[in-house]
Amino acid sequence: MFGPQVPSVTPAEVGDDIYLLDVREPDEWAAGHAPGAHHVPMMEIPARTAEVPADVEVVVVCRSGGRSGQVVSYLMGNGWDNVRNLDGGMQSWAAAGREVVSENGQQARVL
């Protein structure tokens, strides 16, 4: 989708040792996200880059891969070389049978 400048991984390639950065909006996050993921909405990334680790692999996720690809490009342009886009976003994560949890007490779902 973004060409060779934005590296990506599939849901199956995301291990337990990966820092998963979810850049979706708060309502999307509350409805359903990957367990253990870290939430920083896309528009807050420039002000919160200090929260993005530079010493472990970071996989960035949104709903379908568009916003997260933009975040990966932004971070790479600002010195991060350890960031990857989750191919297909949370939609592909859920479709691959990976666990999704909610913050609102309702059944987890991907918005």
Side-chain angles (χ1 to χ4, degrees):
M1 177 177 208
F2 295 98
Q5 72 275 17
V6 176
S8 65
V9 296
T10 66
E13 296 172 306
V14 178
D16 293 339
D17 58 339
I18 299 295
Y19 186 95
L20 193 60
L21 177 62
D22 192 319
V23 297
R24 296 176 302 148
E25 293 300 309
D27 62 325
E28 294 173 289
W29 167 264
H33 57 85
H38 303 269
H39 185 227
V40 179
M42 178 182 176
M43 299 310 290
E44 296 179 19
I45 290 290
R48 296 176 63 184
T49 55
E51 296 176 41
V52 182
D55 57 347
V56 297
E57 186 173 355
V58 176
V59 173
V60 185
V61 61
C62 65
R63 180 178 54 237
S64 63
R67 289 173 285 177
S68 54
Q70 292 175 28
V71 170
V72 169
S73 290
Y74 174 82
L75 290 170
M76 290 178 73
N78 284 280
W80 276 260
D81 61 1
N82 60 321
V83 291
R84 309 287 178 266
N85 188 29
L86 182 64
D87 190 32
M90 281 302 296
Q91 291 175 330
S92 68
W93 179 271
R98 300 293 300 257
E99 186 179 3
V100 179
V101 296
S102 74
E103 294 289 313
N104 59 15
Q106 296 180 5
Q107 183 174 349
R109 59 194 174 100
V110 177
L111 292 183

